[in-house]
Amino acid sequence: MQEIFIDKYIYLSMALFIIGMVGVMIRRNAIVVFMCIELMLNAVNLLMVAFSAKLNDAAGQMFVFFIMTVAAAEVAVGLAIIVMIYRNTRSIDINVANKLKW
Amino acid sequence: MIANLPNYIFFFLAFIAIFFAIMVITAKNPIHSCLYLVLTMFAIAANYVLLNAQFLAIVQMIVYAGAIMVLFLFTVMLLNLNADSEPVKSNLMKFAGVIVGGTLLLLFTAALRKSIGDAEPVMNSIPMQIPNHSNVGLIQNLGWVLFKDYVFPFEAISILILSAMIGAVVLGKKEKVQLSTND
């Protein structure tokens, strides 16, 4: 029987997480930044499922289940906020929303 | 060939996931970003199947690729965004972002190689069999664990979802007072 060792999954989820992080830094479209945050959440979920499968423990998969629920709630609220920002400023450039910066 | 098949499948799925993830952050049109992200989610769901976590694979497809990405697409189309309205970031910032990401990747890889080398005897004492025949990811087992050990978080999350729903409705309501913009 063939084994896939856990380090392959660590490298894969690390690569996905860093792609998401670079996306947050290089994009200014608020919706794409939000998608990149989803990508980072998915990378962490993948790592947790891999460790859960390796250690034969259901706790990791339960955590992924709860993270997915929280992500769904977060998307609902976050997209409502983005729609409101667009309605008020006619732009979804995140640099428009810099009033909290100072 | 057949014995090595799970490895080939893993590399194929990893390639798809990383390729489309890069397409997500490089696509000019937000709708294309969204559709590429759906493909990345499907590759991750297929990885869950490979890890014998069928329940999470289905939930990933329904919740992420179904509900969340439809919400994203709906918002993108509602705001009528396309490649023309895309704000551009200066090339210096893009360069700096890629440098930071590459450096972090290098740092993590170096730390991992060191720590995996140290942890080799411990890690290899529990080999991960692919396909693994444990039933930890099956819906029956997860249901037992969820309603036995995680009942309180399960109930708390329902309140979270309710508050998120109310919050989204309150935020999305048309405001009487327009916020002033002085930029």
Side-chain angles (χ1 to χ4, degrees):
Chain A
M1 196 174 296
Q2 186 65 33
E3 289 172 10
I4 299 181
F5 280 113
I6 196 81
D7 54 342
K8 289 200 185 103
Y9 278 99
I10 299 177
Y11 286 123
L12 173 60
S13 63
M14 192 174 73
L16 286 176
F17 186 88
I18 285 173
I19 290 169
M21 201 190 73
V22 170
V24 169
M25 288 190 286
I26 71 173
R27 294 303 292 262
R28 279 173 60 183
N29 188 330
I31 291 184
V32 179
V33 168
F34 219 56
M35 284 185 216
C36 290
I37 293 173
E38 292 301 313
L39 191 59
M40 289 157 81
L41 281 172
N42 263 280
V44 176
N45 282 354
L46 178 63
L47 190 63
M48 282 215 232
V49 174
F51 270 104
S52 161
K54 183 177 173 70
L55 300 177
N56 221 352
D57 185 356
Q61 301 197 9
M62 257 17 280
F63 267 74
V64 171
F65 181 66
F66 288 125
I67 289 174
M68 281 179 183
T69 322
V70 173
E74 172 227 333
V75 164
V77 175
L79 285 178
I81 291 174
I82 290 175
V83 169
M84 278 317 286
I85 290 175
Y86 182 78
R87 202 178 276 165
N88 283 315
T89 66
R90 290 283 134 198
S91 163
I92 51 158
D93 189 338
I94 47 169
N95 283 22
V96 171
N98 59 0
K99 295 277 161 25
L100 290 178
K101 208 159 118 185
W102 305 112
Chain B
M1 174 62 200
I2 293 299
N4 223 2
L5 197 58
N7 253 319
Y8 291 136
I9 295 173
F10 171 79
F11 282 119
F12 177 68
L13 292 175
F15 173 76
I16 294 210
I18 290 178
F19 176 75
F20 284 117
I22 290 173
M23 293 296 276
V24 168
I25 66 168
T26 53
K28 280 272 171 284
N29 196 330
I31 294 180
H32 292 169
S33 290
C34 206
L35 294 175
Y36 289 136
L37 191 55
V38 173
L39 290 174
T40 310
M41 303 280 188
F42 271 117
I44 291 174
N47 252 323
Y48 289 169
V49 175
L50 195 65
L51 288 165
N52 210 11
Q54 284 101 334
F55 173 64
L56 281 179
I58 298 295
V59 170
Q60 168 96 2
M61 278 189 211
I62 294 173
V63 174
Y64 264 117
I68 292 183
M69 296 324 289
V70 166
L71 204 57
F72 268 110
L73 265 181
F74 190 71
T75 312
V76 171
M77 289 176 176
L78 190 72
L79 301 185
N80 201 12
L81 303 172
N82 46 38
D84 303 330
S85 63
E86 174 71 18
V88 283
K89 207 158 192 167
S90 67
N91 275 328
L92 182 68
M93 288 300 282
K94 281 185 184 168
F95 189 65
V98 173
I99 291 287
V100 169
T103 314
L104 193 64
L105 187 67
L106 193 72
L107 191 70
F108 275 171
T109 311
L112 257 175
R113 287 184 75 85
K114 176 89 173 70
S115 58
I116 281 180
D118 288 348
E120 200 83 60
V122 186
M123 297 297 269
N124 288 355
S125 64
I126 324 164
M128 183 163 59
Q129 299 289 337
I130 300 281
N132 78 12
H133 295 292
S134 76
N135 53 3
V136 73
L138 301 189
I139 188 161
Q140 185 183 19
N141 188 15
L142 283 183
W144 272 111
V145 176
L146 180 63
F147 289 111
K148 219 168 61 194
D149 301 336
Y150 293 89
V151 174
F152 179 69
F154 183 74
E155 297 295 338
I157 216 101
S158 65
I159 298 188
L160 176 78
I161 296 240
L162 181 67
S163 59
M165 199 170 74
I166 296 170
V169 170
V170 169
L171 279 170
K173 209 173 52 180
K174 202 145 194 93
E175 269 189 55
K176 295 284 183 292
V177 185
Q178 290 284 311
L179 298 177
S180 64
T181 55
N182 46 351
D183 53 339

